[in-house]
Amino acid sequence: MRNYLIVALLAAAAATPALAQDRAPFTGPRAEAIIGYETTDVEDENSGGLTYGGALGWDFNLGGAVAGIEAELSDSTVDECVADIDVTGDELCAQLGRDIYVGGRVGAVLGSSTLLYAKAGYVNGRVNVAYDAPGTVDDFDDGVNLDGVRVGAGVEFALGGSAYAKTEYRYSNYEAGYDKHQLVGGLGIRF
């Protein structure tokens, strides 16, 4: 019985690449890593830094088009501080934290190896704010989660096999007068 199971598993493994070749391009489940640059605007103060994270998605073939769902978790290196706000020597710092995004995308396949797409969805961003005023009791350190909307557009390239690369611009608008522009690149694999 064990030999039959091993033979069946080997046959399934050998057939998997053939099945993947029959599948339409840019369809099925996927996982990717992203990295890029972002600029933020918090109450008219601009700052930039690195964004990085990972995403999971599932794309569906709609004839010449592709539609998909996706979820992403990312973080940021943006950290902005302003000094001498109320008293000499005080400092107010805002640090961007994680972003959670859930949304969808719709695109068109160009040729056999390029996908041009647009995306939109819900985003929740974390902002940590700290105020330090030496010699006073006004110090605080607090984090807040902000809800928002993300829209974007990108292009994805099939690299051969199940690997792909992408580049994407996206804009996120959060409550409380906060927004973010990002230009990211990603490497991923389809299953």
Side-chain angles (χ1 to χ4, degrees), residues 107-169:
V109 178
L110 307 174
S112 63
S113 62
T114 305
L115 173 67
L116 187 62
Y117 63 90
K119 67 188 294 174
Y122 166 80
V123 66
N124 180 277
R126 180 96 175 142
V127 178
N128 298 309
V129 179
Y131 179 71
D132 181 29
T136 71
V137 294
D138 295 333
D139 295 357
F140 67 87
D141 188 351
D142 194 19
V144 61
N145 293 328
L146 302 174
D147 294 323
V149 175
R150 175 177 291 168
V151 295
V155 61
E156 187 174 302
F157 305 97
L159 299 177
S162 57
Y164 67 89
K166 75 176 193 176
T167 185
E168 181 177 283
Y169 165 79

Side-chain angles (χ1 to χ4, degrees), residues 9 11 15 61 63 79 83 92 95 100 128 132 134 172 184:
L9 289 174
N61 182 353
D79 189 0
L92 177 66
Q95 179 182 26
I100 299 172
N128 298 309
D132 181 29
S172 300
V184 300

Side-chain angles (χ1 to χ4, degrees), residues 14-33:
T16 301
L19 291 174
Q21 291 172 358
D22 293 341
R23 185 174 67 195
F26 303 106
T27 60
R30 60 185 166 85
E32 65 192 30

